[in-house]
Amino acid sequence: MKLRFSFASVPIAAGIAAAAGFVFTLFDPGDDMDFVELAAATAIIGGIVALIALVCLAIPHSKIDERGFWQFLNNGGMQLVRPIGHGERFVVRERRLFVLRADGEYEQLKLYRWSVSRSTWARLAAAYPLELAEQDESATG
């Protein structure tokens, strides 16, 4: 399953870029800009970053499969960050993705609910539910 960024990252990135552009245009001593030019420059900077962020939504940042948790590298390859060993599996718990180890301990992965899209998180929660792990513990205990 390929993981993509959340759509909420687009307005956040555009807002940060627009605010930074606003501050940079205020401190440029060579230009005397009126309010309309300042607003236009801020909107253009935020819009460019928003377009770049929209393109980045189509590109997955990581992948989960039966072998483990992968992250895509800048050169187009993939790196296995956390392999899944014997008796281990992924579980979704507390708006995070964990690896449930064979000894019953949870190992947190650096994948949070806010970092992926809503539909991707719903597929993750359906594919790796915590309830199965709790049922297994109650059946053996």
Side-chain angles (χ1 to χ4, degrees), residues 91-98 106 121 128 130 134:
V91 293
V92 174
R93 177 181 175 211
E94 298 172 2
R95 301 176 62 91
R96 293 184 186 132
L97 184 69
F98 290 86
Y106 291 98
W121 191 260
Y128 306 113
L130 179 61
E134 292 172 350

Side-chain angles (χ1 to χ4, degrees), residues 18-29 31 33 37-39 41-42 45:
F22 179 75
V23 169
F24 287 139
T25 55
L26 285 179
F27 289 117
D28 189 4
D31 290 337
M33 297 175 69
E37 291 173 338
L38 183 64
T42 302
I45 292 170

Side-chain angles (χ1 to χ4, degrees), residues 59-81:
I59 303 168
H61 60 82
S62 54
K63 175 180 147 179
I64 292 178
D65 61 14
E66 67 279 353
R67 296 172 290 172
F69 179 68
W70 301 77
Q71 283 187 334
F72 287 95
L73 303 175
N74 292 337
N75 61 2
M78 291 190 315
Q79 175 186 8
L80 182 60
V81 177

Side-chain angles (χ1 to χ4, degrees), residues 2-137:
K2 292 181 181 177
L3 307 176
R4 290 171 169 61
F5 288 109
S6 172
F7 186 75
S9 62
V10 174
I12 291 171
I16 291 172
F22 179 75
V23 169
F24 287 139
T25 55
L26 285 179
F27 289 117
D28 189 4
D31 290 337
D32 291 328
M33 297 175 69
D34 63 350
F35 179 74
V36 175
E37 291 173 338
L38 183 64
T42 302
I44 289 171
I45 292 170
I48 290 171
V49 172
L51 287 175
I52 293 170
L54 280 173
V55 170
C56 290
L57 289 180
I59 303 168
H61 60 82
S62 54
K63 175 180 147 179
I64 292 178
D65 61 14
E66 67 279 353
R67 296 172 290 172
F69 179 68
W70 301 77
Q71 283 187 334
F72 287 95
L73 303 175
N74 292 337
N75 61 2
M78 291 190 315
Q79 175 186 8
L80 182 60
V81 177
R82 172 62 167 86
I84 293 294
H86 181 69
E88 296 180 337
R89 65 182 193 91
F90 292 113
V91 293
V92 174
R93 177 181 175 211
E94 298 172 2
R95 301 176 62 91
R96 293 184 186 132
L97 184 69
F98 290 86
V99 172
L100 179 61
R101 297 191 303 215
D103 60 358
E105 294 289 322
Y106 291 98
E107 179 182 337
Q108 179 181 342
L109 297 177
K110 294 190 185 276
L111 185 68
Y112 299 96
R113 163 62 192 100
W114 56 265
S115 65
V116 296
S117 67
R118 187 175 295 167
S119 61
T120 302
W121 191 260
R123 286 191 335 220
L124 269 175
Y128 306 113
L130 179 61
E131 291 80 28
L132 292 177
E134 292 172 350
Q135 290 173 0
D136 291 342
E137 290 175 4

